[in-house]
């Protein structure tokens, strides 16, 4: 698979590695986002790249010594009795040249077997003037990497010169990976795989979207069949509660009272696990556009990650079918509900594209609105946003369908906009988003082509 984007991250790391003073760089993010590929792309010729394993500390040191020996012959011929001795040996041998950068991927594996390692690295890094190698630590456990570097009580807090959290790719890059598909088909693909490069790579092995779903998730031997559990096991020891929360939210329980009712838990007991899933970018907390944060009754929880949303909407509820080797029946169920399922990710893509300037103007904080209008009647608008100068209020409606004439929708939308509590006499700008629009008559519209063009980040 080609290496897509990551221009900002590449520049950030390369600039750091050009510094005379040796740098400490931290790279983290969820599994499969391409962290290892990024590191190998940026690794200098005199750099050592090492992937940690879940072995004992003694064996881990032996493995690291062998990785270093690829650049410093004979280095692994010596037995290193402690991490401190090994680190000092690496630094001393590096003074004579041969290596200038040490990358340790999956660093949390080392810490789980040697909890004192961050403190040893702290003392190592606090003597920058005698360091002979740049150090890059990478990990997929977002919680552990955050606890090691971002928490004020952590040994490595404040030591990093660069901290990079690698997120998913923007939906627009799918056009490069699956160039033969239409923009409409690519929206459906993104609703299934999200922006995770490894999932794109796996999808690219198959000629058809549904065949890929059946092969990768619709059978027990599929590479992604147990992926949701693996992602959560990077962060927590017991996945029962987070799986249960994601499952009921994907199934339509979006208020905390509904989630608690489905799980037979009090709202208070769910606050911490919900916030943890939000920190991991697996859940999102949504409030009506412009509403104060104290209005908790209007807060909705949604599965933020497209792949997990697909997994908990289709794969988990159909595990019995899949376990019985009924993958074709499973795929039939997916196909029947797919168009309706895509409507929500399509709305989210439209909101994101609008916020990023798809309509030649930025509408920061653009989002959905629901609640009672100024007439006291319940009302919903798919997305609302205010221009930077506050002079314009954008309102939009999304349909995952083919429209001939959007004029009736536009007229109704403008009438609704005037009843918004956030409307204070601004100029109203309306936009209609749809899978396809036969005619726009010069008005603002969004289609998959224009949305994907914007989302290349």
């Amino acid at each position: 698979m080609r290496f897509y984007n990551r221009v900002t991250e590449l520049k950030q790391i390369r600039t750091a590695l050009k510094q005379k003073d040796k740098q400490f760089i931290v790279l983290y993010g969820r599994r499969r986002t391409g962290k290892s590929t990024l590191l190998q792309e940026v690794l200098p010729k005199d750099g050592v790249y090492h992937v940690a394993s879940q072995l004992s500390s003694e064996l881990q040191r032996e493995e690291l010594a062998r990785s270093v020996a690829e650049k410093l012959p004979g280095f692994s011929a010596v037995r290193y009795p402690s991490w401190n001795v090994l680190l000092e040996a690496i630094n001393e041998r590096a003074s004579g040249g041969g290596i200038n950068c040490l990358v340790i991927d999956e660093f949390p594996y080392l810490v789980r077997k040697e909890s004192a390692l961050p403190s040893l690295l702290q003392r190592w890094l606090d003597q920058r003037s005698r360091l002979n190698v740049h150090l890059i630590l990478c990990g997929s456990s977002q919680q552990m990497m955050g606890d090691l570097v971002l928490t004020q009580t952590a040994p490595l807090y404040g030591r990093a010169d660069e901290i990079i959290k690698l997120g998913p790719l923007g939906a627009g890059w799918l056009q490069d990976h699956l160039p033969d598909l239409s923009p409409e088909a690519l929206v459906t693909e993104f609703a299934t795989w999200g922006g995770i490069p490894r999932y794109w790579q796996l999808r690219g092995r198959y000629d058809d979207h549904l065949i890929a779903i059946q092969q990768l998730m619709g059978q027990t031997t599929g590479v992604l069949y147990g992926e949701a559990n693996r992602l959560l096991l990077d962060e927590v020891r017991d996945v029962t509660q987070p799986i249960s929360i994601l499952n009921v939210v994907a199934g339509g329980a979006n208020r905390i009272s509904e989630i608690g009712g489905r799980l037979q838990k009090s709202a208070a007991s769910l606050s911490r696990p919900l916030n943890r899933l939000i920190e991991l970018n697996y859940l999102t907390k949504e409030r009506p556009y412009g509403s104060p944060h104290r209005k908790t009754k209007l807060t909705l929880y949604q599965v933020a990650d497209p792949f997990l949303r697909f997994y908990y909407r289709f794969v988990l509820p159909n595990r019995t079918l899949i376990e019985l080797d009924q993958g074709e029946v499973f795929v039939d169920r997916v196909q029947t509900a797919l168009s309706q399922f895509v409507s929500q990710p399509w709305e989210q893509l439209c909101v994101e594209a609008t916020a990023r300037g798809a309509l030649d103007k930025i509408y920061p904080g653009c989002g959905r609105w629901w609640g009672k209008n100024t007439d006291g009647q319940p009302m919903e608008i798919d997305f609302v946003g205010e221009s930077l100068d506050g002079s314009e209020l954008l309102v939009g409606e999304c349909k995952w369908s083919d429209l001939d004439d959007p004029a009736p929708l536009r007229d109704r939308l403008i009438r609704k906009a005037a009843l918004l509590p956030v409307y204070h006499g601004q100029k109203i700008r309306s936009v209609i988003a749809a899978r396809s629009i036969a005619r726009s008559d010069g008005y603002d519209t969004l289609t998959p082509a224009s949305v994907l063009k914007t989302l290349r980040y």
Side-chain angles (χ1 to χ4, degrees):
M1 176 175 166
R2 285 174 49 200
F3 187 81
Y4 298 118
N5 199 17
R6 307 305 192 192
V7 174
T8 301
E9 294 85 354
L10 286 169
K11 182 179 179 181
Q12 196 171 349
I13 296 174
R14 284 173 176 155
T15 300
L17 295 181
K18 291 178 181 178
Q19 302 303 308
K20 182 177 179 181
D21 295 333
K22 299 307 178 185
Q23 303 288 291
F24 173 37
I25 302 168
V26 174
L27 176 68
Y28 73 107
R30 65 171 276 185
R31 190 174 295 278
R32 317 291 196 185
T33 51
K35 299 183 298 299
S36 300
T37 304
L38 172 65
L39 289 173
Q40 293 174 51
E41 186 80 12
V42 80
L43 188 71
K45 291 182 179 179
D46 54 0
V48 172
Y49 176 75
H50 174 72
V51 182
S53 61
Q54 301 190 59
L55 299 172
S56 66
S57 286
E58 294 77 14
L59 294 178
Q60 286 174 342
R61 288 195 295 272
E62 289 180 12
E63 285 191 338
L64 177 55
R66 283 195 292 270
S67 294
V68 174
E70 294 179 9
K71 299 292 182 179
L72 299 176
F75 188 84
S76 60
V78 179
R79 182 179 180 185
Y80 301 94
S82 69
W83 281 106
N84 190 52
V85 171
L86 176 56
L87 292 172
E88 288 298 328
I90 292 173
N91 192 53
E92 182 179 349
R93 287 287 303 275
S95 64
I99 66 170
N100 185 50
C101 177
L102 173 61
V103 176
I104 301 179
D105 202 348
E106 297 299 354
F107 177 67
Y109 289 165
L110 302 185
V111 179
R112 285 170 184 164
K113 299 300 181 181
E114 181 56 74
S115 60
L117 185 55
S119 296
L120 294 175
L121 286 173
Q122 175 194 344
R123 292 197 291 271
W124 207 49
L125 292 165
D126 284 348
Q127 303 176 56
R128 294 293 183 99
S129 60
R130 58 180 291 271
L131 282 186
N132 299 310
V133 291
H134 299 290
L135 177 64
I136 303 178
L137 300 182
C138 178
S140 297
S141 175
Q142 299 178 69
Q143 179 174 351
M144 184 172 286
M145 291 299 291
D147 289 346
L148 292 171
V149 181
L150 304 179
T151 305
Q152 291 187 1
T153 57
L156 296 175
Y157 179 77
R159 269 80 181 175
D161 299 287
E162 300 287 350
I163 300 175
I164 303 171
K165 183 176 182 180
L166 198 65
L169 286 168
W173 290 102
L174 259 177
Q175 296 177 108
D176 297 64
H177 188 60
L178 300 171
D180 295 333
L181 297 186
S182 68
E184 295 78 15
L186 290 172
V187 170
T188 300
E189 296 283 352
F190 188 81
T192 306
W193 317 108
I196 306 302
R198 174 57 174 163
Y199 303 162
W200 294 8
Q201 182 183 36
L202 293 169
R203 161 61 182 96
R205 296 175 180 176
Y206 303 95
D207 294 332
D208 179 80
H209 178 232
L210 292 175
I211 292 175
I213 290 173
Q214 182 174 346
Q215 294 297 314
L216 297 172
M217 291 183 276
Q219 55 187 4
T220 56
T221 56
V223 175
L224 299 180
Y225 179 61
E227 181 71 0
N229 280 22
R230 288 191 289 270
L231 289 174
L232 293 170
L233 282 169
D234 282 334
E235 312 297 342
V236 297
R237 292 182 179 179
D238 184 0
V239 299
T240 304
Q241 187 174 54
I243 284 177
S244 300
I245 291 173
L246 289 167
N247 188 34
V248 299
V249 172
N254 303 117
R255 290 180 169 81
I256 194 167
S257 58
E258 297 170 340
I259 299 169
R262 291 281 303 276
L263 300 179
Q264 297 184 7
K265 301 277 187 180
S266 67
S269 69
L270 289 172
S271 178
R272 185 173 180 180
L274 284 170
N275 287 333
R276 187 74 200 105
L277 288 169
I278 290 170
E279 291 171 5
L280 295 171
N281 297 319
Y282 294 155
L283 274 186
T284 184
K285 183 188 290 187
E286 187 181 14
R287 298 182 181 90
Y289 174 84
S291 68
H293 285 190
R294 65 178 181 272
K295 289 193 174 183
T296 55
K297 289 184 179 179
L298 292 176
T299 298
L300 299 179
Y301 292 89
Q302 306 282 0
V303 178
D305 179 74
F307 172 80
L308 286 180
R309 184 171 176 267
F310 182 92
Y311 188 95
Y312 286 106
R313 169 61 180 83
F314 292 112
V315 180
L316 195 64
N318 287 293
R319 282 189 65 187
T320 300
L321 273 178
I322 297 170
E323 296 282 348
L324 292 173
D325 199 24
Q326 296 296 312
E328 292 183 1
V329 179
F330 160 70
V331 168
D332 286 342
R333 291 186 177 183
V334 171
Q335 187 173 18
T336 299
L338 193 56
S339 181
Q340 181 182 1
F341 171 81
V342 173
S343 62
Q344 183 178 339
W346 166 238
E347 181 180 310
Q348 292 170 342
L349 290 175
C350 289
V351 169
E352 186 181 357
T354 301
R356 290 177 176 270
L359 297 169
D360 300 321
K361 188 179 288 189
I362 294 174
Y363 296 88
C366 182
R368 195 159 63 98
W369 188 92
W370 67 94
K372 290 186 177 180
N373 61 26
T374 54
D375 285 345
Q377 300 300 312
M379 186 174 78
E380 292 186 16
I381 295 183
D382 290 337
F383 58 98
V384 180
E386 191 173 63
S387 60
L388 282 172
D389 61 7
S391 65
E392 191 172 87
L393 188 70
L394 176 86
V395 290
E397 182 154 347
C398 293
K399 300 289 185 184
W400 188 241
S401 57
D402 304 312
L403 294 181
D404 179 28
D405 181 9
L409 286 178
R410 185 179 295 110
D411 294 342
R412 186 182 66 181
L413 185 59
I414 293 174
R415 290 195 297 270
K416 290 168 68 175
L419 298 174
L420 280 168
V422 294
Y423 174 66
H424 305 293
Q426 308 99 312
K427 177 184 176 182
I428 295 175
R429 183 182 185 183
S430 63
V431 57
I432 302 299
R435 184 168 56 197
S436 69
I437 299 176
R439 65 185 205 205
S440 63
D441 296 330
Y443 291 101
D444 289 318
T445 59
L446 288 173
T447 60
S450 58
V451 167
L452 292 174
K453 180 181 178 180
T454 305
L455 300 180
R456 293 175 68 84
Y457 59 87

